[in-house]
């Protein structure tokens, strides 16, 4: 196709869009413009820098313009492109799931450290177990883990990939979220080691189930913070993935009451929490008297982001 009459080049349109986004109060205007333009053109951001003088044709302009208008209304970039990177993996996202956050990588790192207690690498090599495949038999994992509130699958899929001899149960209340997570698990090669289950917290699990790890990033936004959330979040991400009731801890409180009953002796529960919630959540865990260690872990901003606790040998 012929270039547009105005002969918009990549550099020209990036400058124009950055200014437009700035006037519309869009966060990270230049990055938003670059990511959306690269997506529209099927290029990487680096490609854009190398082709600043390349003109856009009408079709490319129209595709980009549609995304720019949606972004100006606050729609998050990840929903517009359908992708978000987490732990250097490419996750598909739709508006049915929370966009995975970088701080959630703190929970993944804390879970990987806790998993060492269960010697997750003690099995024979997967290639010996299964010629031609990277995956071990799901029936013979080193241990089973559980994630409650799986969303896009960022946590459980990353853990399954990092711990190739483990198997997982992944629960969410939202069928639409589970479909996204299932698709990500297939694309990222771990679908055979994750059982997806629709359910309310622990209600759908067999009472005799025992897990080595239980990870959850449940909704934890309290009422006082809800109105202050940026529109990108409040108007676009699922309320069911964010709203944590009056003090933000409604769901976490219910989970903590029961979590230890689903843990093996020495098993770990790991909870992501909001800024300032860690002391309260640590107290809730201690009050169950089921844990011999309760620890708080900070994220890269120095915020206490994860509370984890180990079920004592004597409990239950
Ligand atoms: C904060 S999002 C976390 C998503 C993903 N694990 C992540 O870290 O990006 C919370 C998830 O919990 C799910 N959820 C909310 N209430 C739930 C409940 N009662 N039982 C199970 N899942 C629930 C939501 O649908 C949402 O997918």
């Amino acid at each position: 196709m012929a270039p547009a009459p105005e002969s918009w080049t990549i550099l020209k349109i990036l400058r124009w869009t950055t200014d437009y986004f700035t006037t519309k109060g869009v966060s990270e205007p230049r990055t938003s413009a670059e990511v959306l333009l690269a997506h529209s053109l099927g290029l990487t951001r680096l490609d854009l820098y190398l082709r600043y003088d390349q003109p856009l044709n009408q079709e490319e302009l129209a595709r980009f313009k549609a995304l720019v208008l949606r972004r100006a209304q606050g729609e998050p970039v990840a929903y517009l492109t359908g992708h978000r990177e987490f732990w250097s993996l490419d996750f598909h996202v739709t508006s049915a799931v929370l966009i995975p956050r970088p701080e959630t990588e703190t929970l993944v790192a804390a879970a990987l450290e806790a998993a060492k207690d269960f010697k997750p690498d003690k099995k024979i090599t997967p290639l010996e177990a299964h010629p031609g495949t990277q995956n071990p038999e799901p029936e013979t994992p080193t241990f089973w883990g559980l994630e409650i509130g799986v969303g896009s699958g960022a946590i459980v899929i990353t853990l399954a990939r990092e711990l190739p001899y483990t198997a997982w149960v992944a629960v969410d209340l939202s069928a639409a979220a589970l479909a996204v997570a299932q698709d990500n698990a297939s694309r990222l090669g771990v679908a055979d080691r994750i059982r997806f289950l629709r359910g309310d917290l622990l209600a759908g699990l067999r009472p005799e189930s025992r897990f080595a790890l239980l990870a959850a990033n449940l909704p934890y936004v309290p009422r006082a913070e809800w109105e202050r959330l940026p529109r990108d979040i409040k108007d676009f991400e699922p309320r069911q993935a964010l709203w944590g009731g009056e003090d933000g801890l409604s769901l976490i409180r219910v989970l903590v009451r029961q979590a230890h009953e689903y843990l093996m002796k020495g098993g770990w529960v790991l909870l992501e929490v909001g800024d300032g919630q860690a002391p309260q959540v640590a107290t809730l865990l201690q009050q169950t008297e089921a844990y011999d260690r309760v620890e708080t872990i900070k994220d890269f901003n120095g915020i206490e982001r994860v509370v984890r606790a180990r079920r004592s040998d004597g409990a239950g």
Side-chain angles (χ1 to χ4, degrees):
M1 260 188 175
E6 307 89 340
S7 154
W8 284 101
T9 62
I10 284 179
L11 182 59
K12 240 166 121 178
I13 204 152
L14 277 179
R15 284 189 176 145
W16 184 90
T17 309
T18 304
D19 289 346
Y20 177 66
F21 280 165
T22 305
T23 62
K24 292 288 175 183
V26 168
S27 61
E28 300 182 349
R30 175 75 186 200
T31 308
S32 292
E34 287 182 7
V35 173
L36 293 179
L37 185 59
H39 177 73
S40 307
L41 302 179
L43 299 173
T44 65
R45 280 171 74 192
L46 178 62
D47 290 333
L48 297 182
Y49 302 136
L50 302 174
R51 301 181 191 197
Y52 268 162
D53 296 328
Q54 180 177 308
L56 273 71
N57 64 39
Q58 293 289 10
E59 200 185 303
E60 290 165 342
L61 272 174
R63 225 175 14 237
F64 180 57
K65 189 177 161 197
L67 295 179
V68 167
L69 291 175
R70 287 168 65 185
R71 182 72 192 111
Q73 297 299 314
E75 196 164 342
V77 170
Y79 290 154
L80 295 173
T81 63
H83 295 266
R84 169 53 62 105
E85 189 181 298
F86 180 86
W87 203 266
S88 299
L89 297 169
D90 175 37
F91 283 86
H92 281 183
V93 291
T94 71
S95 56
V97 299
L98 186 96
I99 299 164
R101 305 294 205 267
E103 54 267 33
T104 299
E105 295 184 348
T106 311
L107 177 68
V108 169
L112 289 175
E113 198 188 52
K116 288 181 189 156
D117 286 0
F118 293 89
K119 302 194 172 35
D121 51 359
K122 74 180 176 196
K123 279 182 71 77
I124 55 172
T125 70
L127 288 176
E128 281 172 40
H130 262 275
T133 162
Q134 288 298 311
N135 293 323
E137 283 182 51
E139 293 77 21
T140 57
T142 307
F143 68 73
W144 280 86
L146 171 66
E147 188 192 356
I148 302 291
V150 75
S152 64
I155 296 171
V156 74
I157 290 168
T158 305
L159 289 172
R161 284 178 60 102
E162 292 287 330
L163 302 166
Y165 309 111
T166 59
W168 295 79
V169 175
V171 176
D172 205 291
L173 203 51
S174 156
L178 285 169
V180 173
Q182 230 152 356
D183 170 55
N184 280 320
S186 301
R187 285 188 320 100
L188 294 166
V190 289
D192 59 340
R193 289 188 289 115
I194 305 178
R195 311 261 158 88
F196 291 94
L197 184 69
R198 187 169 181 208
D200 183 359
L201 299 178
L202 300 161
L205 297 168
R206 290 203 312 268
E208 67 275 20
S209 312
R210 294 291 177 274
F211 298 92
L213 296 183
L214 191 175
N217 173 18
L218 287 170
Y220 53 66
V221 178
R223 179 184 297 280
E225 265 179 42
W226 182 258
E227 285 309 320
R228 292 201 299 267
L229 284 179
R231 64 175 175 170
D232 299 26
I233 300 175
K234 186 154 61 88
D235 296 348
F236 291 93
E237 297 199 75
R239 184 183 156 97
Q240 198 178 57
L242 297 164
W243 172 252
E246 199 55 40
D247 65 352
L249 299 180
S250 301
L251 286 158
I252 291 177
R253 210 174 269 116
V254 177
L255 183 68
V256 167
R257 228 176 273 145
Q258 280 191 306
H260 57 278
E261 293 168 16
Y262 291 83
L263 287 175
M264 298 162 56
K265 288 176 180 174
W268 288 88
V269 58
L270 299 107
L271 304 170
E272 179 169 326
V273 296
D275 194 0
Q277 293 174 339
Q280 240 183 307
V281 172
T283 303
L284 290 172
L285 286 160
Q286 272 149 355
Q287 281 168 347
T288 65
E289 297 185 1
Y291 300 100
D292 60 5
R293 274 170 68 177
V294 178
E295 301 165 352
T296 293
I297 296 153
K298 291 183 178 162
D299 66 16
F300 47 83
N301 286 318
I303 293 171
E304 292 184 325
R305 184 60 65 192
V306 174
V307 183
R308 74 176 173 195
R310 187 177 68 180
R311 202 190 118 151
S312 52
D313 269 354

